[in-house]
Amino acid sequence: MYVMTSVTLPLPASAPAPVWARRAAHAIALCAVPSGLWRIAMAFGVPVGYSEQVLRDVFDIPGWGIVYVVGLSVLAELAALFPLLLVSDRWRPLRPGVLAPLAWTASGALVLMASWQLVVAVTVESRTYLSSGAAQTVWGLAFAPLFAIPALMTAVTWSYAKRHRTRGQVCADAP
């Protein structure tokens, strides 16, 4: 009687992420910090260009608006840490076949979101509530780094996909 056994060979390790990709992934995490700090300052009553009436009526601060604004800041920073998975050599919670499409999807979504935010930034709605030109400048400086994220994310994703596509071809050629 012949019994077939399945042997799973370990996949060869992929090439490490290039230094530029590691730096880009860390830059993404840092790009989210200024806008997060701006939102948290707003939540805790620091004057960031909005009157007390606008904070109360539009943003519900003090109130549930604090939870929303702080939660949004935490969520944005956690999302900005995602690219670090693409350059990590030690920790991989998902297989490359799952992580690469997820990263490409995130890159596309970021491009769309950045485009939409650019439209919002130049509309009347975004400027209506800020009290002065200086407040608009501070707001612009806090949110400007977010526009670098789509390009950085796309570059990091491309690097990840390239490294793991090469790995997959090497594995397919192996006996």
Side-chain angles (χ1 to χ4, degrees):
M1 176 171 200
Y2 181 71
V3 177
M4 292 185 64
T5 59
S6 170
V7 177
T8 304
L9 297 173
L11 294 175
S14 62
V19 173
W20 68 263
R22 290 180 187 277
R23 289 183 179 157
H26 284 86
I28 291 169
L30 292 175
C31 284
V33 170
S35 60
L37 291 176
W38 185 89
R39 282 189 212 100
I40 289 171
M42 181 175 82
F44 287 103
V46 175
V48 292
Y50 293 125
S51 68
E52 287 185 25
Q53 180 181 357
V54 168
L55 288 175
R56 208 174 30 256
D57 296 345
V58 176
F59 297 104
D60 195 24
I61 295 175
W64 282 104
I66 293 173
V67 174
Y68 169 74
V69 170
V70 171
L72 181 61
S73 297
V74 170
L75 184 65
E77 191 59 43
L78 288 173
L81 294 174
F82 169 74
L84 295 175
L85 292 175
L86 302 176
V87 297
S88 174
D89 294 330
R90 289 182 245 157
W91 191 65
R92 292 196 181 122
L94 299 172
R95 295 172 44 106
V98 174
L99 195 54
L102 182 62
W104 281 118
T105 302
S107 293
L110 286 168
V111 168
L112 290 174
M113 287 174 40
S115 301
W116 175 249
Q117 287 302 311
L118 193 56
V119 168
V120 170
V122 297
T123 62
V124 176
E125 179 68 22
S126 65
R127 297 177 187 195
T128 302
Y129 302 121
L130 290 171
S131 60
S132 68
Q136 290 176 354
T137 301
V138 171
W139 176 82
L141 290 173
F143 283 85
L146 294 178
F147 291 106
I149 290 176
L152 292 169
M153 180 66 184
T154 301
V156 171
T157 301
W158 175 81
S159 172
Y160 179 84
K162 181 180 173 192
R163 285 183 292 118
H164 288 281
R165 180 178 55 244
T166 301
R167 182 181 115 178
Q169 289 170 351
V170 168
C171 290
D173 295 339

